[in-house]
Amino acid sequence: MGEERAFAELLREARTGRLSRREVLRRAIAIGLGAPTIAALLAACGGYGAGAGTPTSAGGAGPAAAGTAATPASSSGVKGGSLKVAIIGEPPTLDMHWGTPTIIGFVTWNIYEPLFAFDDKFQVIPMLAESHDVSADGLTHTLKIRKQVPFHNGEELKAADVLASLKRWAGKQGLGAALFKATDKVTPTDDHTLEFTMKQPYGTFESSLAYFYQGAAIYPKSVIDAAGDQQIKQFIGTGPYKFVEHQPDRFIRLARFDGYAALPGAPKGYGGHKHAYVDEMVFTPVGDEAARIAGLRAGNYHYLESISADQYSTLKDDPNVDAIVMPPGGWDTFVINWKSPLMKNQQIRQAFQAALNSGPILDAGWGQGFYRLEASVMQKETAWYTEAGKELYNQHNPDKARQLLKDAGYDGTPVRFMTTKQYLEQYNNAVVGKQQLEAAGFKIDLQVYDWATLTTRRTKPDLWDVFTTGISFRPDPTQLAIMQLCNWPGWWCSDASEGILAKLQSESDFGARFKLWEQLQTNFYEEVPMIKLGDTKSVTASAKALKGLSTQTQLGPILWNTWLAK
């Protein structure tokens, strides 16, 4: 009855115009109303208000998937101006192939483009690809590449660039490695066509190439050849903005690429037509959250890459700022290092999992109303939701943990637990997690680093045992960072799980894939590659002068298509 009264009151205020769409959205999410109910409320508000977003049903990787509809990008934006963005710190690289941190993709997807992208319903659509045909037996994929697409250095995009980029990506990213493992050979049949001859059917061919963070960005072959086995030093792509200058710890400057070959038609989520309205984008590393907030309110920045949930109450009534609580777009985790002498012991990992109580941890990291306790690795808004392994989620059972530690012969060796204050919620999660783990018999060495240092250290298995991070929304479970298994920091190397994943990647029937996914999630909880804490609701904040922002943020904010009001 409480929800019914709340809905009736919101509906009355929405119809009378007493609440903006943004305020309706905020209050509806806060009281836990479902997506259809929220959609009805927002419809009662009439036209879109500044910054409003509409949770609604959307297609996904199977039947009945749900996502967040994007505010349509406008074709009537105003050209000009410098878009100033505060990011949480210095990106560890501007080479998309080199790492998964979201801060890399947030900056560089304005520069580079993939062959395929996800639209506003998280369906795969062509981007640099013109078409993709599959033979009846599923063993031949013919990929045609768009013609007359220039790179920022003036070279034309050709099949040789695509092949070189994909081979390099496959050497660094688990999805790419799996794709090429299933491939017998790749043959350029002309300057704009590649033919993939497969060893076996591969049902996730397109979605793998549309992967977002550490995705299959296409570089000129000349840039790849020059880099050799090292990171690229020439940041050249086909995107709407080109790299201009990088002064580490000061700024990264991009400028509009006037030669950009935009797709015809309208913007479609992360693909389709891309407008380049602003003259330049300037990304400034600002490690202190309070400084980012102050800079936004003072007009020094137009967009904040990340703010903690407790800042929402500070910003929601600021007349110059749009602050919106979005539906869950990821989940927080403690990642465990299977290569460390200590954590390679499964009983110690299981003890770590049993000791934790996610509610108090996420209260500290996010606050009430900004998370939900949910076992499913794929979120409730997707078609992949399952309760497989639920009994091992959020156990808060220190007695069980102590017994497991005793059985494992734990000798009090400190667990080297890395975190960062640049994502303050991660630090707060770790502080409370440390208390719980020590109460169950662990000794914890909490190590605090800036995010760039943490992401560098986590690639070196001898330096750590556990680190904090967030797992971002993905339309398909094979695209989760953890599904790179042995190729992602943590190195979840399990023969059983690798076998299930291989079948999940090759199968195309959703029903068969879902059964495989349930098996893999069960393994996730039994083998303990990481701890799922809970789903988290992000908060976005921008200056009211910034227009055209999409509310589709699950795969990261979209900065192309935005403009600055005069």
Side-chain angles (χ1 to χ4, degrees):
M1 291 298 294
E3 284 194 8
E4 291 177 5
R5 287 195 297 270
F7 170 74
E9 176 63 19
L10 273 177
L11 181 61
R12 182 181 65 81
E13 294 188 2
R15 283 175 170 167
T16 58
R18 291 173 57 188
L19 293 177
S20 68
R21 292 175 63 90
R22 182 163 66 92
E23 183 66 14
V24 168
L25 176 61
R26 183 186 68 80
R27 286 175 54 176
I29 291 173
I31 62 177
L33 297 182
T37 306
I38 295 174
L41 285 168
L42 292 174
C45 291
Y48 280 87
T54 310
T56 185
S57 295
T68 300
T71 303
S74 172
S75 60
S76 58
V78 178
K79 278 198 170 185
S82 176
L83 173 58
K84 298 174 182 177
V85 182
I87 54 180
I88 59 97
E90 180 69 17
T93 179
L94 296 181
D95 183 349
M96 175 63 76
H97 295 169
W98 207 262
T100 62
T102 57
I103 194 172
I104 300 173
F106 180 58
V107 175
T108 62
W109 275 130
N110 298 288
I111 304 171
Y112 313 124
E113 291 183 306
L115 292 164
F116 297 92
F118 289 101
D119 68 9
D120 53 354
K121 294 180 174 60
F122 295 108
Q123 301 291 337
V124 179
I125 57 174
M127 190 69 230
L128 291 178
E130 180 180 280
S131 65
H132 170 224
D133 296 312
V134 186
S135 62
D137 62 5
L139 296 179
T140 303
H141 292 252
T142 303
L143 187 66
K144 289 193 175 294
I145 298 152
R146 289 168 54 200
K147 297 178 180 178
Q148 297 182 333
V149 173
F151 285 106
H152 300 152
N153 62 359
E155 298 176 12
E156 182 187 354
L157 170 69
K158 293 188 177 180
D161 303 301
V162 173
L163 182 54
S165 296
L166 295 185
K167 284 183 175 180
R168 181 177 190 268
W169 172 68
K172 303 183 183 305
Q173 212 279 344
L175 278 178
L179 172 60
F180 272 76
K181 184 177 180 181
T183 301
D184 182 41
K185 62 180 179 178
V186 185
T187 307
T189 58
D190 61 42
D191 278 351
H192 292 88
T193 307
L194 290 173
E195 186 175 274
F196 288 73
T197 304
M198 312 301 292
K199 300 173 185 176
Q200 62 197 50
Y202 204 77
T204 55
F205 184 92
E206 288 187 2
S207 62
S208 295
L209 295 176
Y211 183 73
F212 206 68
Y213 292 110
Q214 202 179 15
I218 304 302
Y219 304 149
K221 182 177 182 298
S222 59
V223 168
I224 293 172
D225 291 344
D229 293 332
Q230 304 303 309
Q231 293 185 35
I232 65 165
K233 301 299 182 184
Q234 303 171 67
F235 309 118
I236 295 171
T238 60
Y241 289 88
K242 61 183 180 180
F243 174 82
V244 175
E245 184 181 8
H246 180 197
Q247 293 190 19
D249 296 316
R250 292 191 61 203
F251 63 82
I252 300 163
R253 189 186 306 277
L254 313 182
R256 182 194 301 116
F257 176 42
D258 290 328
Y260 178 61
L263 282 167
K268 297 178 181 178
Y270 293 88
H273 189 96
K274 296 179 181 178
H275 296 284
Y277 290 121
V278 298
D279 294 335
E280 65 174 10
M281 296 180 179
V282 180
F283 298 86
T284 302
V286 184
D288 181 71
E289 181 178 63
R292 294 197 297 274
I293 297 291
L296 176 68
R297 301 185 79 174
N300 297 326
Y301 310 121
H302 299 108
Y303 191 85
L304 303 187
E305 183 233 347
S306 176
I307 61 171
S308 56
D310 60 2
Q311 294 292 344
Y312 176 73
S313 59
T314 303
L315 294 174
K316 67 183 179 66
D317 297 321
D318 189 315
N320 298 312
V321 172
D322 279 329
I324 305 174
V325 181
M326 300 303 293
W331 47 271
D332 275 9
T333 183
F334 298 155
V335 181
I336 297 175
N337 180 2
W338 276 38
K339 291 185 178 181
S340 86
L342 178 64
M343 303 306 287
K344 69 181 181 181
N345 185 310
Q346 185 172 358
Q347 286 184 310
I348 291 179
R349 298 197 304 271
Q350 290 172 337
F352 197 96
Q353 177 174 252
L356 295 169
N357 184 352
S358 292
I361 292 172
L362 292 171
D363 275 345
W366 292 83
Q368 287 288 333
F370 293 92
Y371 69 88
R372 68 184 177 202
L373 299 179
E374 185 61 68
S376 184
V377 172
M378 291 294 288
Q379 291 172 319
K380 193 175 290 186
E381 289 76 15
T382 75
W384 298 96
Y385 175 83
T386 174
E387 295 187 344
K390 180 180 179 180
E391 66 278 4
L392 296 177
Y393 169 72
N394 193 27
Q395 297 172 60
H396 46 90
N397 189 340
D399 290 338
K400 177 182 176 181
R402 278 189 283 271
Q403 185 60 52
L404 284 164
L405 287 177
K406 181 179 179 181
D407 294 344
Y410 176 62
D411 61 2
T413 299
V415 176
R416 297 164 298 172
F417 195 161
M418 300 195 301
T419 190
T420 181
K421 288 185 178 180
Q422 287 179 303
Y423 290 109
L424 193 58
E425 66 276 6
Q426 291 188 27
Y427 174 75
N428 291 340
N429 287 347
V431 168
V432 177
K434 175 180 185 290
Q435 295 169 352
Q436 295 178 2
L437 291 161
E438 289 179 337
F442 281 95
K443 185 173 182 180
I444 304 296
D445 174 17
L446 193 64
Q447 301 176 358
V448 183
Y449 300 101
D450 64 81
W451 184 240
T453 299
L454 188 153
T455 57
T456 298
R457 288 178 64 87
R458 75 183 189 183
T459 65
K460 301 173 182 178
D462 57 327
L463 295 182
W464 62 278
D465 298 302
V466 179
F467 73 85
T468 63
T469 192
I471 302 298
S472 301
F473 173 94
R474 295 291 182 264
D476 188 284
T478 62
Q479 297 187 350
L480 291 166
I482 56 172
M483 290 305 147
Q484 296 182 42
L485 300 185
C486 301
N487 296 301
W488 193 71
W491 302 284
W492 178 17
C493 289
S494 156
D495 290 342
S497 294
E498 286 185 90
I500 297 169
L501 178 61
K503 294 177 182 177
L504 186 64
Q505 290 169 329
S506 62
E507 179 61 61
S508 57
D509 177 74
F510 177 78
R513 297 188 76 218
F514 186 79
K515 291 179 181 178
L516 290 165
W517 172 241
E518 288 190 305
Q519 295 175 30
L520 197 50
Q521 181 166 300
T522 299
N523 283 14
F524 173 89
Y525 280 106
E526 292 177 350
E527 297 178 349
V528 200
M530 60 175 62
I531 308 298
K532 180 179 180 184
L533 297 172
D535 296 339
T536 57
K537 301 177 182 180
S538 62
V539 179
T540 63
S542 61
K544 283 191 179 293
L546 181 60
K547 305 298 183 182
L549 270 174
S550 171
T551 56
Q552 185 174 9
T553 60
Q554 286 95 333
L555 297 179
I558 299 171
L559 292 183
W560 59 84
N561 298 331
T562 64
W563 69 93
L564 299 172
K566 299 296 186 182

